[in-house]
Amino acid sequence: MNAAKDIGLGPALRGLSPAGRAVLAALLAAAAALTWHLKSDWASNPELSHGWFVPALFLLLLGESRRGTARFSRPGAAFALGLGSLLALALLCLCVAGLYAVTVDWSHAAVSLMLALGFTFLVGAAGLVFARPETGLLRLNWQLLVAAGIWLLAAPIPPGTYTRITLTLQLWVSESVLSTLHFLGIAAVRRGNIIDLVNATVGIEEACSGIRSLISCVFAGLFFSATLVRRPWGRGLIIVLAPPIALGMNFARSLTLTLLAGNRVDITGFWHDLTGFAVLGLTSLILGAL
């Protein structure tokens, strides 16, 4: 519900009750604990290297929430039901994460994902509390939703799901490259994710499947939609276009490397890394331009 009252950040912080300050401190402590838990994944997994920016972007998006659409929560049955449901879901995710940790290990991807999901629900619950008209610390808008959701894109995907997605992308990229080579009149055959040319053999590895650019592009699309776009249709367009742009750019990279290999160019090292960074940079530039 909209409200005309707009409290500045300083007065809103000073006006928090002791209980409100305790909730804010608990939220920041949970964010710090989740950051500490995920940092090993960010350091070891190239697909999650953007996670190092998440804590800063989280605070930035909370600040953007104050400048976004001024929607406030009102006490009542709907407020109590929403707050209770979000807290119950957060607690359930924490319990599931604990069960996974006991069964496997705290470093398992499923544990990290459930902790990130639980924190997302916790941010939603805190948003309801801090978006009350008398508090005015946050707003119930798209920026707050993205601030909560970006943690999910910074958590590792469970191994089974990751393998299935990666294999599907590998086969799609290799088949698409093969079809394009045939269209260009270049002789080639495919064996799974391996393409045999006259002068070379090129393999579409897991790192080249496009999952890295897909996750990074969706992450960038969500962030841009919350900070650079104000109309709902524009935000939806950015988010919908992010995955095909990422997949298209990765296909262009794989095709370029295959053509270079077919011309007896060593695509390991310099060319492999150069095209990889170029794809990530161009996809971000395209989204920013849109």
Side-chain angles (χ1 to χ4, degrees), residues 51 62 73 78 101 117 122 131 147 165 171 175 209 221 241 258 262 271 276 282 289:
L62 291 182
S73 58
L117 182 60
L122 182 63
I165 295 175
L171 296 177
E175 177 63 29
S209 64
L241 288 179
T258 303
W271 285 106
L282 286 174

Side-chain angles (χ1 to χ4, degrees), residues 57 61 142 146 150 153 213-229 234-243 245-246 283-288 290:
L57 297 182
L61 287 167
W142 178 247
V146 174
I150 59 172
L153 293 176
S213 57
L214 179 62
I215 294 174
S216 298
C217 200
V218 171
F219 179 85
L222 279 173
F223 177 73
F224 288 154
S225 72
T227 56
L228 301 179
V229 185
R235 290 171 177 165
L237 183 64
I238 289 294
I239 295 171
V240 169
L241 288 179
I245 289 175
T283 50
S284 297
L285 287 175
I286 291 173
L287 285 175
L290 287 174

Side-chain angles (χ1 to χ4, degrees), residues 108-122:
H108 196 273
V111 177
S112 299
L113 182 61
M114 294 309 300
L115 289 176
L117 182 60
F119 183 72
T120 297
F121 289 129
L122 182 63

